[in-house]
Amino acid sequence: MRLGSGVITSRPAQATVRSKLKVPHSTRRGLVTDASAGTSDPHAYCRQFVRKHDYDSFLTSYFYPREVQSGYFAIKAFSVELATVQDNVSSAMIGKMRMQFWRDAVKGLSEGRPPKHPIALALHETSQRSKLSAYHLKRIIDARDAELHTPSHFTIDSLTSHAESTSSTVLYLLLSLLSLSSSNLSHAASHLGTAQTITTLLRALPYHAKQGRMVIPADITAKHGVKQEEVFRQGPQAQGIEDAAFEFATIAHDHLNTARDMLMKSEGSNGRVPREAMPIFLAGVPVSNYLKRLEKAGFDPFDPKLQRRDGLVALQIWKSYFTNQF
């Protein structure tokens, strides 16, 4: 079974029982304490926050122009902060309070009075130099707020809409940061964002299963006879989970290829991503890397090797940047 065709043919038998790897996360109290200490140097805080919680994004930061790197970390830290609210609060109500804090913070940015939170302060400084869309920032907040109550998706269309409002919107903010305005770039970013979201969910499936959450949309799991309770209790031994993971990964692969084709087959591209946009589309390298590793693991997202960082990603990102391909 291979990625690319979008059709499930056969799946190699998997006889080995693989253990599930617990993914630790910071406590809410720890995050608040770190944030309070970070107000003295907001950009350093954002950089370390991204390095700790989104190492792939930290690696791609080196290829952004130096003058916008602080803005890059501010945007990425904002995204990570919102994405982790669900796991760092004890109830949906507290989560909603946190989301309201960020709505007020975005309003404060435009009024020149950001709250004393390092990410908000860094975003404010970035907004003084670059045009950051308040609409895009609020869109991410609203999507993460909705996620507090409906963490699972019934259809792939619903998940795609969520990806558009989160990962893709972060890429739109980065396009603005680099002053790149092109419908072709935006459309490619939209597809890359969807591929990112699906890959992130597949990578985190063992963790979410332990929390009693199914991240593969119900229309896919139902097609393959996957029972959520079996996934929560049995992990890789659950019936149909690898077939469902394969179909989910194929959708990500198709979106990744669409993003590539839009950039590299456009008029005048010569089969390369526009040089000035390459830092943004380096985000596709970790996506491709994970999908290839998942394929080698027989589409078993519970394989412990997939929970470990691949040391080749940094080299792949470097190579991608200098060949203008991803």
Side-chain angles (χ1 to χ4, degrees), residues 163-197:
E164 174 68 22
S165 298
T166 52
S167 298
S168 299
T169 299
V170 170
L171 296 176
Y172 300 154
L173 286 167
L174 295 176
L175 285 170
S176 296
L177 183 71
L178 294 181
S179 301
L180 298 175
S181 58
S182 159
S183 60
N184 195 50
L185 290 176
S186 294
H187 289 156
S190 175
H191 287 285
L192 177 55
T194 300
Q196 273 189 306
T197 293

Side-chain angles (χ1 to χ4, degrees), residues 269-312:
S269 68
N270 294 319
R272 297 289 188 270
V273 178
R275 187 66 176 172
E276 64 275 13
M278 197 60 221
I280 293 170
F281 290 95
L282 287 175
V285 177
V287 172
S288 178
N289 172 276
Y290 176 81
L291 292 175
K292 289 176 181 177
R293 292 168 64 210
L294 179 63
E295 182 176 359
K296 289 181 180 178
F299 295 95
D300 175 12
F302 290 90
D303 190 319
K305 293 191 295 293
L306 295 174
Q307 305 303 310
R308 295 193 286 268
R309 189 179 295 162
D310 186 354
L312 293 176

Side-chain angles (χ1 to χ4, degrees), residues 135-296:
Y135 167 78
H136 287 329
L137 296 173
K138 291 175 184 176
R139 189 183 192 189
I140 298 171
I141 297 170
D142 290 343
R144 293 303 184 186
D145 192 349
E147 191 176 41
L148 293 172
H149 296 283
T150 54
S152 300
H153 294 270
F154 288 107
T155 67
I156 189 64
D157 288 342
S158 171
L159 177 62
T160 301
S161 177
H162 175 74
E164 174 68 22
S165 298
T166 52
S167 298
S168 299
T169 299
V170 170
L171 296 176
Y172 300 154
L173 286 167
L174 295 176
L175 285 170
S176 296
L177 183 71
L178 294 181
S179 301
L180 298 175
S181 58
S182 159
S183 60
N184 195 50
L185 290 176
S186 294
H187 289 156
S190 175
H191 287 285
L192 177 55
T194 300
Q196 273 189 306
T197 293
I198 294 175
T199 302
T200 299
L201 291 175
L202 280 168
R203 182 183 293 177
L205 193 152
Y207 169 75
H208 287 295
K210 283 192 173 184
Q211 308 305 312
R213 294 193 293 260
M214 171 50 70
V215 297
I216 302 177
D219 57 352
I220 295 177
T221 56
K223 184 189 303 184
H224 300 288
V226 178
K227 297 179 180 178
Q228 290 191 11
E229 288 303 320
E230 287 186 6
V231 178
F232 301 157
R233 294 195 307 267
Q234 302 175 25
Q237 301 307 307
Q239 178 182 343
I241 187 61
E242 290 174 359
D243 286 335
F246 169 71
E247 182 171 346
F248 203 28
T250 297
I251 295 171
H253 188 261
D254 289 345
H255 279 284
L256 183 63
N257 276 342
T258 300
R260 288 167 171 160
D261 289 345
M262 293 188 73
L263 293 172
M264 294 190 282
K265 292 183 180 180
S266 60
E267 185 177 354
S269 68
N270 294 319
R272 297 289 188 270
V273 178
R275 187 66 176 172
E276 64 275 13
M278 197 60 221
I280 293 170
F281 290 95
L282 287 175
V285 177
V287 172
S288 178
N289 172 276
Y290 176 81
L291 292 175
K292 289 176 181 177
R293 292 168 64 210
L294 179 63
E295 182 176 359
K296 289 181 180 178

